[in-house]
Amino acid sequence: MSLFLKYSDMWDMDLGGRDRERGEIPHWFGNLAWIVIGGLCKLLFRYRVDNRQKLRAFQGASGALVICNHTSFFDVVFMYLAARPKQWVRLMGRDTLFGNAGGLLGQILSRVGAFPVKRDTADMASIKRAVRMLKNDELVGILPEGTRRGKTDRVASIHAGVSVIARMAKVPILPMTVRGVEKIKNKGERVRFPKVTVDYGDPILVSDFDFLPKEERVEACTWYAMRESFALFYRVPAEDVDMVALFPETRDYAPVFAEHPIPHHTSDELACAARAARAEKEAKAAAKAVGSAAKAEGVEKE
């Protein structure tokens, strides 16, 4: 049982996926963190998880890219806790976090499956890492806003890299939200302990946006997925979310989707399709292997 492992080694290890070719991050620390931190959050915030079956459906069937709106540092804590103990969400976090506390925070984050991304850059190393994880049927969690809403001077924006990753990995995007965490600590106020609720929405396929011009697809898909997250957050229909107010510098795609509605999917539907596709692929591979073996045997007899 190793107490310390190299960050870069853990970033490229598997965690709860289908294959273990690169080795797997030891589970003991993640399980301990879930018990201790989860217990404290349950006690302090009485948190609950709604519609968790929409996440559970992908277990053993497919990877999924989980996205959430960002109002507090606690968002990522509850993204992680809500999936446990049956699944792990591998969170993509700002690279500067990993060096904090003399590297101790980086060791903790890496132990629970998190990996770094360089903010405001096209970090291809992180994108490829996320794609590999998703193809291995793992869950990857991303906050597309990049910064906490209302907590900094930065103008809120949407990072379209989410849809790029989902398209490359050929996995669905699963919107979620964490309600209540925005009330825990406001500047100049004391810490509060509100009730927290995690809620999952329905999955979204990047391919459903192929009717748009190629240069608009990933941005429009991410915009749509974020609108779904905010609809969960505000508990309103997606069409009622004022995305112009939320993202004043981002194009408003509401008229586009009003004219061209995006197909609705369920997690069970996509999970079943993924299992069927894998079974078909494995059957073809097995038939090919049998054919190759028969051919080789025929050559030997001659």
Side-chain angles (χ1 to χ4, degrees), residues 13-270:
M13 287 180 177
D14 300 317
L15 184 60
R18 185 176 68 257
D19 297 324
R20 305 288 190 275
E21 293 180 2
R22 297 170 179 256
E24 187 168 33
I25 298 174
H27 289 190
W28 67 268
F29 184 87
N31 290 335
L32 180 63
W34 173 65
I35 293 170
V36 175
I37 298 175
L40 285 173
C41 287
K42 200 73 175 177
L43 176 66
L44 297 174
F45 304 112
R46 294 88 70 203
Y47 85 92
R48 74 169 195 264
V49 183
D50 293 340
N51 297 307
R52 183 156 38 196
Q53 72 277 8
K54 296 181 179 183
L55 179 74
R56 290 283 187 257
F58 294 106
Q59 186 178 9
S62 166
L65 186 57
V66 185
I67 70 161
C68 183
N69 57 309
H70 196 13
T71 60
S72 165
F73 284 129
F74 282 90
D75 291 322
V76 294
V77 174
F78 287 101
M79 284 181 78
Y80 175 79
L81 293 177
R84 300 301 322 278
K86 294 184 178 180
Q87 292 164 287
W88 303 78
V89 174
R90 306 203 61 171
L91 298 162
M92 182 183 281
R94 191 173 72 245
D95 62 331
T96 54
L97 292 174
F98 287 76
N100 288 351
L104 179 60
L105 183 58
Q107 184 71 208
I108 292 171
L109 292 173
S110 300
R111 278 282 183 177
V112 297
F115 62 102
V117 61
K118 294 178 181 177
R119 177 186 272 183
D120 299 326
T121 66
D123 188 348
M124 289 308 299
S126 293
I127 290 174
K128 290 178 180 178
R129 188 172 279 133
V131 170
R132 180 189 61 76
M133 292 171 181
L134 291 165
K135 287 185 174 181
N136 189 38
D137 291 354
E138 297 181 56
L139 301 173
V140 172
I142 298 179
L143 303 168
E145 291 176 273
T147 190
R148 292 167 296 150
R149 177 169 293 276
K151 306 294 184 181
T152 70
D153 295 330
R154 291 170 62 117
V155 178
S157 60
I158 300 175
H159 298 281
V162 168
S163 297
V164 173
I165 293 170
R167 181 180 285 276
M168 290 174 66
K170 299 180 180 179
V171 298
I173 296 172
L174 187 70
M176 67 167 287
T177 196
V178 186
R179 292 190 294 268
V181 288
E182 73 282 1
K183 301 174 184 176
I184 294 175
K185 182 66 174 75
N186 291 314
K187 190 174 181 180
E189 297 181 5
R190 65 180 178 82
V191 175
R192 300 177 185 275
F193 301 96
K195 288 185 179 180
V196 171
T197 303
V198 179
D199 199 358
Y200 292 96
D202 290 314
I204 298 161
L205 294 179
V206 184
S207 58
D208 286 337
F209 297 80
D210 285 351
F211 69 93
L212 288 165
K214 190 174 182 179
E215 64 275 10
E216 297 179 12
R217 293 171 188 170
V218 294
E219 179 181 77
C221 179
T222 307
W223 183 98
Y224 184 92
M226 283 304 299
R227 188 175 71 166
E228 293 294 314
S229 286
F230 277 103
L232 292 169
F233 184 75
Y234 293 121
R235 288 182 275 198
V236 299
E239 295 76 15
D240 291 347
V241 177
D242 189 349
M243 292 291 281
V244 174
L246 291 169
F247 301 101
E249 296 183 358
T250 302
R251 177 183 169 182
D252 181 21
Y253 284 94
V256 175
F257 298 130
E259 183 178 343
H260 194 294
I262 300 300
H264 174 261
H265 303 283
T266 67
S267 295
D268 286 334
E269 166 201 336
L270 298 186

Side-chain angles (χ1 to χ4, degrees), residues 268-284:
D268 286 334
E269 166 201 336
L270 298 186
C272 286
R275 287 191 178 93
R278 178 174 299 158
E280 182 180 356
K281 184 177 179 180
E282 290 174 351
K284 287 182 178 179

